[in-house]
Amino acid sequence: MGLLSVVAVYGSGTKLSNGHLPAAYLVAIVAMLFTAHSYGRMARYVPVTGSAYAYTARGFGPSVGFLTGWAMLLDYLFMPMVNFMLCGLYVNSLFAGIPVWAGTLGCMVLVAIFSMIGVAWVGRMNAFVAAASILVIITFVTLAVVNAPVIDLHAVLQPALPSDAGFGPIFAAAAVVAFAFLGFDGVSTLAEETKEPRKNIPRGVILATLGAGLCYFLFSLAGSLIMPDWTQIQNVDAAGTELMQKAGGDTLMVIFVVVNVLGLILCGTAAQMSVSRVLFAMGRDGLMPKALATLHPRFKTPYVAAGLVSLLCITALFLTLEQAVYMINFGALIAFAMVNLSAIKSLYVDRKLRGGMGTLRNLILPLIGFAFVAWLWTQLSPLSFALGMAWLAVGVIVLVVRRRSGARVHLALDEENAPAAEQPLESSTV
């Protein structure tokens, strides 16, 4: 979840919201925080790798967990592919002599290496790129305010409030920009490689969602100031580049592209590391071949799973960006929906964590998160459903074959489910 990923949906979001993109981001931030809350709650009580797969398996059983993990693979497999494709496009925009496919392949190779080294190195580089991204956003916001054609209270508030058309355009745009938040759930896949996961994973999920959301909001607000008439945008798909040039000239535009390319490489690494951990967890539980649960003797990373993901990502050279995004949307929404339901089933129903705050945190908030995800389903294209359902059908076949072959399913670290051991955590706060 790169802080500069806001540019990927800036043009389409602004068009859908009729120039009220900041208002759409406010709606998306609030909505996505409900699902982030469910991830955080489950991470406290199931501090194991596997994310939505692990949570659903413990809430609804291994079979439902497998199908959730299988659907989630769409999100995690195609997420790095999107980063690879965008990296190739941006490199080509700076160096026209480098073909898009070459930039895509180069990014793919780098990510394959990085994903096998481990989280420590990636964490340090992510901190650097995040800091650089924040500096770019701060610079852009400052220059946008300084160079804005009109700067007053009305110019600032108008794009953050509903238009004469009401909330309809804003909600429609919120459904699009919500996908800029995809990736916050990746934090939960690294539970077994994190210090104090019961405390730090929930914090990481919530802070990643809130922090990125606020950066998205500030960027979109600054964009509406520097270019109040969104119809002036010549290329909706490359709106971020036009905004950077208008605010700070070619220098800021080049810096933006360089930082964004670095961010895409690291986002691709994070996404690839996440999916390899999901495959690792499913292999360890016996729902996928055991070889996927093999750890590297030196780096202690699931290098077999990471290598398999790298091979699958080569298909990015033959797909369009639109096709990859379709697959991501379907898989992500299934994972989000099932985590919200798993929070209710595991915590409210099974563990009976109720009472005043328990009912709010383990029933009402997850229900609101599920309702928003269900609404997002209505915004998906027919192609998303067709491709997604075909993928799920393959998953059902794989599950049946594995069951008939006598593969033994055992949920790793299942002792973490003991309610008595977890009960004290209910009093802790994020």
Side-chain angles (χ1 to χ4, degrees):
M1 187 170 60
L3 296 178
L4 291 176
S5 63
V6 59
V7 302
V9 292
Y10 183 92
S12 57
T14 299
K15 183 177 180 180
L16 278 172
S17 64
N18 195 26
H20 292 261
L21 185 60
Y25 267 113
L26 288 178
V27 173
I29 290 171
V30 174
M32 296 309 294
L33 279 174
F34 287 110
T35 294
H37 170 268
S38 292
Y39 270 94
R41 295 298 290 163
M42 289 302 294
R44 283 179 178 273
Y45 292 90
V46 188
V48 299
T49 193
S51 189
Y53 154 70
Y55 305 152
T56 305
R58 282 154 182 80
F60 295 97
S63 295
V64 179
F66 170 82
L67 292 177
T68 300
W70 184 265
M72 191 171 66
L73 289 179
L74 280 177
D75 177 8
Y76 284 153
L77 280 173
F78 285 88
M79 185 76 77
M81 292 187 194
V82 168
N83 286 284
F84 302 154
M85 294 174 187
L86 289 174
C87 187
L89 290 170
Y90 279 119
V91 169
N92 177 259
S93 70
L94 278 185
F95 307 100
I98 300 179
V100 174
W101 69 265
T104 300
L105 184 60
C107 181
M108 205 177 300
V109 172
L110 286 174
V111 167
I113 297 172
F114 296 159
S115 63
M116 296 185 189
I117 294 178
V119 297
W121 180 91
V122 175
R124 288 191 292 269
M125 286 302 298
N126 262 323
F128 169 76
V129 172
S133 299
I134 291 174
L135 286 177
V136 170
I137 291 175
I138 291 175
T139 302
F140 170 72
V141 170
T142 302
L143 292 176
V145 171
V146 171
N147 298 321
V150 178
I151 184 71
D152 55 25
L153 187 61
H154 174 75
V156 173
L157 293 180
Q158 190 264 343
L161 297 174
S163 64
D164 295 337
F167 284 95
I170 291 174
F171 286 151
V176 173
V177 302
F179 296 118
F181 290 83
L182 299 184
F184 73 84
D185 54 313
V187 175
S188 61
T189 66
L190 302 175
E192 293 175 37
E193 298 164 82
T194 302
K195 295 179 181 178
E196 299 184 63
R198 298 177 190 271
K199 178 177 69 175
N200 290 325
I201 293 296
R203 285 180 177 176
V205 171
I206 296 294
L207 291 177
T209 305
L210 185 60
L214 290 177
C215 285
Y216 297 159
F217 171 76
L218 287 176
F219 186 97
S220 61
L221 186 60
S224 65
L225 290 176
I226 193 65
M227 194 176 288
D229 183 6
W230 67 268
T231 59
Q232 293 180 354
I233 300 176
Q234 298 179 7
N235 187 347
V236 173
D237 294 330
T241 304
E242 292 185 35
L243 292 174
M244 291 291 172
Q245 283 183 313
K246 194 169 182 63
D250 290 340
T251 300
L252 182 60
M253 186 271 290
V254 171
I255 293 175
F256 157 74
V257 172
V258 171
V259 173
N260 205 22
V261 166
L262 291 176
L264 288 169
I265 293 174
L266 288 176
C267 283
T269 303
Q272 190 154 316
M273 288 174 65
S274 295
V275 69
S276 63
R277 269 66 179 173
V278 174
L279 289 172
F280 166 82
M282 295 173 76
R284 184 174 62 182
D285 290 345
L287 288 167
M288 296 285 277
K290 283 289 186 182
L292 295 175
T294 306
L295 294 176
H296 192 281
R298 177 182 176 185
F299 300 118
K300 304 303 179 184
T301 56
Y303 73 103
V304 174
L308 174 62
V309 174
S310 295
L311 290 175
L312 293 174
C313 282
I314 294 178
T315 57
L317 298 174
F318 312 102
L319 294 174
T320 67
L321 192 61
E322 184 181 31
Q323 290 170 333
V325 170
Y326 281 151
M327 302 299 278
I328 288 173
N329 293 350
F330 185 91
L333 290 184
I334 284 185
F336 289 175
M338 291 309 300
V339 169
N340 282 303
L341 293 178
S342 296
I344 297 171
K345 174 66 164 56
S346 296
L347 306 182
Y348 187 79
V349 176
D350 295 341
R351 299 176 188 274
K352 296 181 172 57
L353 299 178
R354 300 168 183 175
M357 287 300 297
T359 299
L360 174 66
R361 302 177 74 178
N362 304 320
L363 177 63
I364 297 176
L365 295 183
L367 274 177
I368 296 174
F370 176 79
F372 179 74
V373 172
W375 172 72
L376 282 180
W377 273 97
T378 66
Q379 309 299 311
L380 290 179
S381 69
L383 180 59
S384 294
F385 280 105
L387 295 176
M389 294 307 295
W391 177 259
L392 276 182
V394 174
V396 171
I397 294 173
V398 171
L399 179 62
V400 171
V401 171
R402 292 288 293 170
R403 291 293 191 184
R404 290 185 174 180
S405 67
R408 182 173 177 269
V409 178
H410 171 70
L411 296 181
L413 305 183
D414 197 47
E415 67 274 9
E416 298 291 349
N417 286 332
E422 307 295 348
Q423 192 67 31
L425 289 173
E426 187 65 30
S427 62
S428 61
T429 58
V430 175

